[in-house]
Amino acid sequence: MADWEMRAASAADVEAVAALRAVVLRADLERLGRYDEQRVRQRLRDGFAPAHTWVIEVEGAFGGCVALRPAEDAHWLEHFYLAPHLQGSGIGTAVLRGLLERCDREGALVRLNVLRGSPARRLYERHGFSPESEDPVDVFMVREPAFARA
């Protein structure tokens, strides 16, 4: 696995994250008949919250991002994107494991949504997420804290 680290995001990161989102989600959104290059970027801009977002840097370069947004009943795992050339390298698994360990220590439920048919769903299922509901585009998943699943 390449050397990587996470740093707090800033407002200046929004365009790099929006561009990565457009690349990473393209195939799934096209398959679902929902890809619009401008809309996919604007939705990220509209929901970008640097206070709850980290940038993943790999060997000193931008490689991805992830957000963990607190909500009333859970944390929402959002905007988890890794550059295509880094996918499958173990970095995404390591990032997810670290965030979930933090949520387990807090006793927090974690929620997310993933596009229907996305291979990312397998990653989430391996880490204890299970489907809660779905619509024609998204599968909404939830993960109980580790102590609640034991």
Side-chain angles (χ1 to χ4, degrees), residues 130-135 138-141:
S130 57
E132 190 171 41
S133 65
E134 52 188 274
D135 63 27
D138 292 304
V139 177
F140 295 86
M141 302 182 81

Side-chain angles (χ1 to χ4, degrees), residues 89-129:
S89 68
I91 295 170
T93 295
V95 167
L96 183 58
R97 185 179 304 120
L99 291 174
L100 293 176
E101 287 171 359
R102 173 182 156 188
C103 292
D104 287 346
R105 285 191 302 273
E106 296 174 11
L109 195 72
V110 182
R111 296 183 187 283
L112 62 82
N113 64 292
V114 62
L115 292 169
R116 288 178 67 127
S118 172
R121 179 176 174 171
R122 290 189 303 274
L123 171 68
Y124 299 132
E125 288 173 337
R126 283 194 309 268
H127 285 86
F129 285 88

Side-chain angles (χ1 to χ4, degrees), residues 15-41:
E15 290 306 319
V17 173
L20 180 59
R21 182 178 198 263
V23 169
V24 170
L25 295 184
R26 184 175 189 139
D28 286 328
L29 288 171
E30 285 179 340
R31 179 180 41 76
L32 294 166
R34 306 282 293 203
Y35 186 76
D36 175 316
E37 186 170 351
Q38 296 308 314
R39 185 170 184 257
V40 73
R41 292 169 187 255

Side-chain angles (χ1 to χ4, degrees), residues 1-6 55-59 61-66 80-83 85-99 123 127:
M1 182 178 355
D3 288 335
W4 65 275
E5 63 183 16
M6 291 193 338
V55 168
I56 302 163
E57 292 185 337
V58 180
E59 297 180 356
F62 176 81
C65 67
V66 63
F80 191 11
Y81 312 121
L82 199 57
H85 72 279
L86 299 171
Q87 294 174 11
S89 68
I91 295 170
T93 295
V95 167
L96 183 58
R97 185 179 304 120
L99 291 174
L123 171 68
H127 285 86

